Amino acid sequence: MKIKKSTLAQQRFLFAGAGSAAIGIGRLLIDAMIAEGVDEKEARQRIAMFDIKGLIASQRDDLNGWQQPFAQSMKPTDDFAAAVEAFQPTVVIGVSTQGGLFSQPVVEKLCEIDAQPVIFALSNPTEKAECTAEQAYQWSEGKALFAAGVQFPPVTAQGKTFYPGQANNFTIFPALGLAIYATRPERVTHEIFIVAAQATADQITPGELQKRMLYPDQNAILETEITTAARLAEWIFDRQLARVERPEDIRAWLESLAWSPDYAD
């Protein structure tokens, strides 16, 4: 959103896949959009899902209880490209394990809908990714903001070099684990995952943003995790959820608790 100079609440999200991963991400997106000021009904209208049988439409009678809140009042279709045309998403999130689902016509249509479409091909292993980084950048003529569940190498397109993001658990889960281990909170809420995502995004430098990078450099992953963990710990203490005493220097305290892989010669 920093690169797009926009907000989540201004986006339209289409998920390829409607299982537990899509439902979990969708719920977090709703919470994040509500925090930006929209009501829950409007937030839900900005999210559509597509499973093995097609668009999650309200007319379908085979939806489970988790999918029903995301059903849209749209004409059912089992063609993903048709779903893109009908729903007009600015963001597509692939959790389908169907390699190649984000085809060239899909990517080109996304670029007609939005000047900087967000394409997250999160299925893994690599052959299950909905598209590759090279395909996303080439087919979008460098317009796409891309991340995958696996790490793709840099791609040169339109005379520029792009650095695909890896949207995977390792980006925030260690930080969450450290902050929770250290603060012993009474409960872990959905909001803490949103705070972790915001803390990670805030660490991307202006130079990295100019390169259209969506995640901090992996070479500094430990620094990234500690910084995110400190932000989470502060959030937990501020909301009086912690069951330990607040230290004067939260970051130094967390660093003292982090495990270091020191091996004997």
Side-chain angles (χ1 to χ4, degrees):
M1 293 304 100
K2 291 181 179 182
I3 295 172
K4 288 172 69 71
K5 295 180 172 57
S6 186
T7 66
L8 289 174
Q10 293 174 309
Q11 310 308 307
R12 293 175 65 81
F13 303 86
L14 176 59
F15 285 81
S20 58
I23 300 298
I25 299 168
R27 286 178 168 179
L28 285 173
L29 282 171
I30 288 172
D31 289 346
M33 285 189 278
I34 290 173
E36 290 182 350
V38 304
D39 61 34
E40 183 174 348
K41 181 180 179 180
E42 180 180 349
R44 288 190 181 279
Q45 290 175 340
R46 291 185 168 275
I47 298 175
M49 297 189 179
F50 187 98
D51 69 2
I52 193 170
K53 295 182 179 180
L55 187 67
I56 301 297
S58 55
Q59 297 97 314
R60 284 177 53 176
D61 58 7
D62 62 342
L63 303 180
N64 63 41
W66 304 112
Q67 294 170 328
Q68 287 173 356
F70 292 96
Q72 293 286 348
S73 298
M74 297 173 59
K75 181 180 178 180
T77 179
D78 60 2
D79 184 309
F80 188 74
V84 170
E85 176 71 43
F87 188 66
Q88 296 284 293
T90 61
V91 180
V92 289
I93 300 176
V95 284
S96 67
T97 70
Q98 186 175 341
L101 185 60
F102 295 167
S103 63
Q104 184 170 352
V106 165
V107 172
E108 290 174 349
K109 174 55 67 174
L110 290 170
C111 292
E112 292 177 13
I113 296 168
D114 191 271
Q116 297 184 97
V118 177
I119 300 175
F120 278 12
L122 302 186
S123 294
N124 57 69
T126 304
E127 61 268 19
K128 300 291 187 181
E130 286 75 13
C131 70
T132 67
E134 184 174 11
Q135 289 169 338
Y137 291 126
Q138 293 286 1
W139 292 341
S140 70
E141 298 182 346
K143 298 174 184 176
L145 300 176
F146 178 84
V150 297
Q151 185 60 60
F152 282 102
V155 174
T156 299
Q158 304 298 308
K160 297 181 180 179
T161 300
F162 298 93
Y163 300 87
Q166 184 179 3
N168 210 325
N169 299 344
F170 85 95
T171 308
I172 64 168
F173 273 25
L176 281 164
L178 178 57
I180 292 166
Y181 168 77
T183 62
R184 305 292 199 275
E186 295 176 0
R187 60 187 179 278
V188 176
T189 68
H190 280 183
E191 190 177 0
I192 198 169
F193 289 90
I194 298 172
V195 174
Q198 292 169 335
T200 302
D202 286 346
Q203 294 179 65
I204 303 172
T205 66
E208 290 170 338
L209 287 174
Q210 288 182 354
K211 294 179 181 179
R212 301 168 72 82
M213 291 175 62
L214 306 186
Y215 292 86
D217 191 329
Q218 290 187 19
N219 291 324
I221 188 63
L222 180 58
E223 178 74 13
T224 299
E225 300 286 6
I226 295 292
T227 300
T228 298
R231 179 100 154 252
L232 294 174
E234 290 174 1
W235 184 87
I236 291 168
F237 281 120
D238 289 345
R239 280 149 187 80
Q240 299 182 335
L241 294 172
R243 291 183 292 178
V244 300
E245 185 176 347
R246 183 171 188 152
E248 290 187 8
D249 189 331
I250 290 178
R251 185 183 182 88
W253 173 59
L254 290 173
E255 288 175 340
S256 72
L257 294 174
W259 179 72
S260 179
D262 295 324
Y263 298 95
D265 293 335

